[in-house]
Amino acid sequence: MKYQDEYRDRDLVQGLAERLRACAAGAGRAMTFMEVCGTHTMAIYQYGLRGLLPPEVRLISGPGCPVCVTPNTYLDKAIACCRLPDTIVATFGDMLRVPGSTSSLMEERARGADIRIVYSPLDAVKIASANPDRRVVFLGVGFETTAPTIAGSILAARTAGLANFLVLSAHKTMPTPMQALAADPELAIDGFICPAHVSTIIGADAYLPLAEEFGRPCVITGFEPADVLQGVLMLAGQVAKGESRVEIQYRRAVKPEGNRKAREILDQVFTPCDAEWRGLGTIPGSGLRIREEFAAFDVEQSLALTVEPSCEPAGCRCGDVLKGKITPFDCPLFATVCTADAPVGACMVSTEGTCAAAYKYGR
Amino acid sequence: MCLGVPMKLVSIDGTDAVAEIDGVQREASLMLLDEEVAVGDFVIVHAGFAITRLDEAEALETLSIMREVFDPEDMA
Ligand code: SF4
Ligand code: SF4
């Protein structure tokens, strides 16, 4: 295991693991915690943290990566956009290889579509300003960490008077799907490792309903192995005492109230809507759509797209992986038909996907 | 895809800033920040926007794991 020879705080990690063992033994019951952040999933696999857990404590991965939870219907719309005349599609790199129903953005690019990878949505605004006779569609995918940056870009495009910058929005918000998962008796989740940077924006208080109404302990955790283990220990401590509260382990970046300014900008441009999640289906109020006031910047409100009926890749179990019902190892295609070089499903494509993490570090 | 990376602010012009990590410089909008920042401060940058301020020791601690888990091209 990697941490044993390389991790600088080996003693700290071992100490935490020891305390976790004592706590779990004291609780006298098994417990299952879910992480819903792709970066946590990566850290848990990379450092072999599951190997440090006592037998009573099980960690499962949930819908942690925005690319993974974006359904094929969205990709099919994105592909329809890049086939429109005089259109440039701008996107974060991860979206490129995700297969849609019958094509992917990468295949479309090979066929001549103008698809550009950007680092920031503001770069897409710059492309729009440099190409006034063409339309630039930015693929807006992400949780509350990313959505404010897209909102900011729409405001920047409006200030610059751009009429050729549009967003195809599939933004999603976090606490709502966690509530849906908490309510699923088959999963029996005892607590959540809450996402780190999403919480920077929404704040710890956003998880209060999960703790108070759903009775699930929540701990917002950083990314170091010691952070994650300490988060698990805090969760186990709550379970052992029969409590359910929201605690912040990642105090260095998360405040109870979050980032108000970012949320204001988000609310100025977006309003909640129902959203379809890969694997989880449609969850009421879990998405963000662009307000009518900004319709001119919204693909859905201002362009007519022709999209073929969507279908999912044959045999891919991403839906069950994203719900935590199976691990990647339970998918018959894992590491045989579906590999990092030739991914079948979204969870293998994204750098933060659970199948990608399991493939890279878990075998 | 929604990685946040601690970076140091090297110049500020209104809400436009330039931030640096490991010798890589990036533009970083300060539009979403709800606290005052100055050149030399660390912030978490996500998709071209600073989303929160960090103190330096905390930033360095967070970076150490990110350097191990992610490829350099994912980071900035
Ligand atoms: S946005 Fe941040 S918190 Fe959410 S999955 Fe990505 S890395 Fe984790
Ligand atoms: S291993 Fe591949 S096919 Fe199986 S669930 Fe993961 S992404 Fe889908």
Side-chain angles (χ1 to χ4, degrees), chain A residues 144-145 174-175 178 194-209 218-220 246-248 250 253-260 262-263, chain B residues 34:
Chain A
E144 293 95 327
T145 328
M174 227 349 141
M178 294 164 77
C194 296
H197 293 140
V198 160
S199 306
T200 303
I201 307 292
I202 66 174
D205 293 349
Y207 304 98
L208 286 175
C218 291
V219 178
I220 300 161
V246 181
E247 292 181 282
I248 310 176
Y250 192 44
V254 175
K255 295 182 283 242
E257 73 279 10
N259 177 339
R260 287 209 178 93
R263 279 212 312 281
Chain B
D34 62 354

Side-chain angles (χ1 to χ4, degrees), chain A residues 90-96 116-121 138-139 141 146 149-150, chain B residues 1 46-47:
Chain A
T91 178
F92 297 131
D94 273 6
M95 293 297 288
L96 217 61
R116 306 193 192 173
I117 294 177
V118 293
Y119 154 76
S120 158
F138 182 76
L139 303 183
V141 166
T146 314
T149 72
I150 316 288
Chain B
M1 76 151 259
H46 167 65

Side-chain angles (χ1 to χ4, degrees), chain A residues 89-176:
Chain A
V89 165
T91 178
F92 297 131
D94 273 6
M95 293 297 288
L96 217 61
R97 294 200 309 151
V98 184
S101 297
T102 54
S103 181
S104 70
L105 292 166
M106 192 125 94
E107 286 168 42
E108 295 297 314
R109 185 150 87 165
R111 276 185 218 127
D114 192 345
I115 300 172
R116 306 193 192 173
I117 294 177
V118 293
Y119 154 76
S120 158
L122 287 175
D123 296 338
V125 175
K126 282 187 201 144
I127 296 173
S129 137
N131 295 274
D133 48 350
R134 301 180 67 193
R135 176 196 292 130
V136 174
V137 172
F138 182 76
L139 303 183
V141 166
F143 299 137
E144 293 95 327
T145 328
T146 314
T149 72
I150 316 288
S153 310
I154 288 178
L155 295 179
R158 185 173 71 171
T159 306
L162 294 179
N164 63 331
F165 174 77
L166 293 100
V167 173
L168 179 63
S169 168
H171 294 98
K172 293 185 168 48
T173 54
M174 227 349 141
T176 327

Side-chain angles (χ1 to χ4, degrees), chain A residues 228-277:
Chain A
V228 178
L229 275 185
Q230 191 184 13
V232 174
L233 177 61
M234 288 160 85
L235 283 169
Q238 288 194 41
V239 170
K241 285 192 225 127
E243 294 172 350
S244 74
R245 289 177 290 112
V246 181
E247 292 181 282
I248 310 176
Q249 185 280 335
Y250 192 44
R251 290 201 175 271
R252 52 193 192 261
V254 175
K255 295 182 283 242
E257 73 279 10
N259 177 339
R260 287 209 178 93
K261 174 104 169 271
R263 279 212 312 281
E264 265 165 38
I265 289 179
L266 180 85
D267 291 342
Q268 192 184 345
V269 175
F270 290 102
T271 182
C273 67
D274 298 348
E276 187 194 342
W277 295 64

Side-chain angles (χ1 to χ4, degrees), chain A residues 29-355:
Chain A
R29 54 164 287 196
M31 37 188 120
T32 298
F33 303 126
M34 176 180 267
E35 91 271 0
V36 291
C37 164
T39 308
H40 285 142
T41 303
M42 290 289 286
I44 288 164
Y45 275 100
Q46 155 126 14
Y47 292 97
L49 294 183
R50 283 194 180 82
L52 290 173
L53 302 178
E56 297 91 347
V57 178
R58 190 168 71 106
L59 288 186
I60 57 175
S61 306
C65 163
V67 177
C68 300
V69 296
T70 299
N72 276 4
T73 44
Y74 178 85
L75 286 151
D76 294 340
K77 281 186 201 163
I79 288 163
C81 284
C82 77
R83 290 173 178 168
L84 293 173
D86 298 324
T87 302
I88 299 167
V89 165
T91 178
F92 297 131
D94 273 6
M95 293 297 288
L96 217 61
R97 294 200 309 151
V98 184
S101 297
T102 54
S103 181
S104 70
L105 292 166
M106 192 125 94
E107 286 168 42
E108 295 297 314
R109 185 150 87 165
R111 276 185 218 127
D114 192 345
I115 300 172
R116 306 193 192 173
I117 294 177
V118 293
Y119 154 76
S120 158
L122 287 175
D123 296 338
V125 175
K126 282 187 201 144
I127 296 173
S129 137
N131 295 274
D133 48 350
R134 301 180 67 193
R135 176 196 292 130
V136 174
V137 172
F138 182 76
L139 303 183
V141 166
F143 299 137
E144 293 95 327
T145 328
T146 314
T149 72
I150 316 288
S153 310
I154 288 178
L155 295 179
R158 185 173 71 171
T159 306
L162 294 179
N164 63 331
F165 174 77
L166 293 100
V167 173
L168 179 63
S169 168
H171 294 98
K172 293 185 168 48
T173 54
M174 227 349 141
T176 327
M178 294 164 77
Q179 292 171 11
L181 291 162
D184 186 335
E186 209 186 308
L187 290 175
I189 297 168
D190 295 296
F192 288 96
I193 300 175
C194 296
H197 293 140
V198 160
S199 306
T200 303
I201 307 292
I202 66 174
D205 293 349
Y207 304 98
L208 286 175
L210 208 48
E212 289 169 0
E213 289 159 37
F214 290 80
R216 296 304 195 283
C218 291
V219 178
I220 300 161
T221 305
F223 301 124
E224 292 270 358
D227 286 332
V228 178
L229 275 185
Q230 191 184 13
V232 174
L233 177 61
M234 288 160 85
L235 283 169
Q238 288 194 41
V239 170
K241 285 192 225 127
E243 294 172 350
S244 74
R245 289 177 290 112
V246 181
E247 292 181 282
I248 310 176
Q249 185 280 335
Y250 192 44
R251 290 201 175 271
R252 52 193 192 261
V254 175
K255 295 182 283 242
E257 73 279 10
N259 177 339
R260 287 209 178 93
K261 174 104 169 271
R263 279 212 312 281
E264 265 165 38
I265 289 179
L266 180 85
D267 291 342
Q268 192 184 345
V269 175
F270 290 102
T271 182
C273 67
D274 298 348
E276 187 194 342
W277 295 64
R278 188 191 295 276
L280 309 187
T282 298
I283 303 177
S286 69
L288 293 168
R289 67 176 170 78
I290 297 172
R291 288 181 186 274
E292 273 151 47
E293 190 194 336
F294 295 94
F297 299 97
D298 184 5
V299 167
E300 304 273 6
Q301 293 182 71
S302 54
L303 294 183
L305 297 178
T306 336
V307 187
E308 54 206 320
S310 292
C311 60
E312 301 292 326
C316 171
R317 303 280 307 274
C318 280
D320 290 328
V321 170
L322 290 166
K323 273 186 294 222
K325 289 216 157 121
I326 67 166
T327 71
F329 307 101
D330 303 321
C331 172
L333 306 191
F334 181 76
T336 55
V337 177
C338 181
T339 63
D341 293 328
V344 172
C347 299
M348 185 64 89
V349 174
S350 166
T351 46
E352 290 175 31
T354 305
C355 296

